[in-house]
Amino acid sequence: MSNMISSRFAARRLTRLRDKIGLLALAIICAAPVDVGGHESKDWIVLENCRLISNPANDGDSFHASAGAREYIFRLYMVDAPETDAMTPGRLVEQAKYFAITVPQAIEVGLAAKEFTREKLSQPFTVFTRMSDAMGRSKLERFYAFVQTKDGDLGEQLVRNGLARNYGYKAVPPGLRNSRLELEKLQQFEDEAQQEKIGGWGVDAGRLNVHAQKPAPFSVFVAGQTARPRALPLANSLSAASAFRPSSTTVGPVDVKKSHAKEKIEPGRMDINTATEKELKMIPGVGQVMASRIIAARPFRSADDLKKVNGIGDKKYAKIRPYFE
């Protein structure tokens, strides 16, 4: 009898122990971080030598691409090109309103953006992604990305030519500390495209397919952290030697090691509202930070307003004012 009671008591203790283990396991699962889409990486993953895949669903800011043997769908960060059809009327109306054009004209801009992207991606390009979910209304798996062409960042090029707006899912670009400078740069490009009446800003003037006459230098982002090979979809498409290429240096259309000493800038020749970042940095005493602040403070009524820029005191103003009209 005593043996039977002992067995029952042991069984009950075992049951309670199993219940506790089950609850503990459930708590651990619930507390664990969940990767969006099952693939999201904390670090930037670099996919080189990507190729555009022709697909009817491709448009200005979203497209199919191959990396090795694998196919992906990427959606650009921070920019939004108009739709190419009337399948999403609400969004199309919003985009048309933004450019101050009609809905049919917005579709024309979307188709022009699609062709622009197709042309820019006709040669191999590089993708920076964290495999962050960009599914949106699509039922297909899609990831946000920055895309670098031979001419620089694709999103910047679309905005500078009036074929996309400074709008969309934001992220800190690889190699930068925050997204503010990139957002300001995109806004500058959008303002310039609007002033020049090109792309969506120039539809009524017949300038839809007129591109920027003086394109500003476009970013070439660089992954500053080691991309993690745990992103399993990539392991099937790229070799271990070429799948990831972390770098600690920034490479742009303008060689950052190039000395400005050989480049002379004459006083009185710059327009305060149109000078590029490169031109501003050629002025003695103006570096990356100050150039960005000047650009962010636009438009100016005249160069006399430089004193309003944070960091420009009387001495700095007296030194740089002569270089502007």
Side-chain angles (χ1 to χ4, degrees):
M1 183 69 177
S2 61
N3 290 337
M4 185 179 298
I5 293 174
S6 297
S7 297
R8 288 177 180 175
F9 181 72
R12 287 174 183 171
R13 290 190 62 183
L14 181 59
T15 300
R16 290 195 191 102
L17 182 60
R18 286 174 178 170
D19 290 341
K20 287 180 180 179
I21 292 173
L23 289 172
L24 179 60
L26 179 60
I28 292 172
I29 291 170
C30 292
V34 178
D35 286 343
V36 177
H39 304 303
E40 188 172 18
S41 170
K42 291 182 180 180
D43 298 318
W44 289 104
I45 295 167
V46 184
L47 300 177
E48 296 182 313
N49 295 316
C50 294
R51 304 270 180 172
L52 180 68
I53 296 176
S54 179
N55 190 290
N58 289 351
D59 57 26
D61 56 33
S62 181
F63 47 85
H64 292 241
S66 64
R70 188 175 176 85
E71 179 176 346
Y72 298 92
I73 306 176
F74 293 114
R75 169 69 166 86
L76 297 179
Y77 278 115
M78 304 174 80
V79 303
D80 177 56
E83 304 298 311
T84 57
D85 55 44
M87 296 296 290
T88 52
R91 185 171 181 79
L92 197 53
V93 168
E94 177 196 351
Q95 292 166 335
K97 184 177 180 181
Y98 189 91
F99 284 96
I101 56 180
T102 66
V103 168
Q105 287 175 329
I107 293 177
E108 287 184 47
V109 177
L111 292 172
K114 176 179 179 177
E115 177 57 26
F116 182 91
T117 292
R118 186 197 66 77
E119 179 184 344
K120 291 295 180 183
L121 301 186
S122 60
Q123 297 184 32
F125 51 92
T126 301
V127 170
F128 296 91
T129 181
R130 282 179 170 155
M131 310 304 282
S132 181
D133 180 20
M135 239 163 97
R137 297 181 178 87
S138 173
K139 294 181 180 179
L140 299 175
E141 192 172 42
R142 186 171 63 163
F143 305 107
Y144 281 110
F146 288 105
V147 174
Q148 291 294 325
T149 72
K150 64 181 181 62
D151 298 317
D153 182 69
L154 177 59
E156 291 181 4
Q157 295 173 67
L158 284 164
V159 172
R160 181 61 184 89
N161 288 283
L163 299 175
R165 55 179 173 163
N166 178 10
Y167 178 93
Y169 191 83
K170 298 174 179 59
V172 179
L176 299 184
R177 293 184 178 179
N178 59 60
S179 61
R180 180 179 59 82
L181 288 179
E182 181 61 18
L183 288 170
E184 290 176 353
K185 190 173 186 182
L186 287 170
Q187 189 57 54
Q188 174 200 346
F189 287 162
E190 184 174 303
D191 292 344
E192 290 175 355
Q194 190 170 6
Q195 290 171 6
E196 294 174 14
K197 294 184 178 180
I198 56 177
W201 307 106
V203 174
D204 290 332
R207 295 172 59 81
L208 172 60
N209 293 307
V210 176
H211 293 168
Q213 294 298 313
K214 293 171 60 180
F218 298 108
S219 297
V220 175
F221 303 122
V222 175
Q225 298 175 323
T226 303
R228 296 183 179 180
R230 67 182 179 84
L232 298 181
L234 304 179
N236 297 329
S237 59
L238 301 175
S239 67
S242 64
F244 312 104
R245 189 186 70 175
S247 174
S248 59
T249 58
T250 301
V251 182
V254 180
D255 187 353
V256 296
K257 295 182 181 179
K258 183 178 180 180
S259 172
H260 286 164
K262 296 180 181 180
E263 298 183 76
K264 295 182 179 179
I265 180 167
E266 298 178 4
R269 79 175 184 87
M270 280 195 190
D271 184 320
I272 187 63
N273 287 313
T274 61
T276 65
E277 182 180 283
K278 177 188 174 183
E279 290 172 332
L280 291 172
K281 287 163 62 178
M282 289 167 60
I283 299 174
V286 176
Q288 173 76 44
V289 174
M290 187 56 64
S292 298
R293 288 178 181 174
I294 292 173
I295 291 171
R298 291 172 177 170
F300 296 96
R301 288 177 298 179
S302 73
D304 295 337
D305 289 338
L306 276 168
K307 286 185 177 181
K308 298 179 181 179
V309 177
N310 183 29
I312 297 182
D314 291 339
K315 288 185 178 180
K316 177 77 74 174
Y317 174 80
K319 187 176 182 179
I320 68 176
R321 176 63 182 86
Y323 290 92
F324 297 97
E325 296 175 351

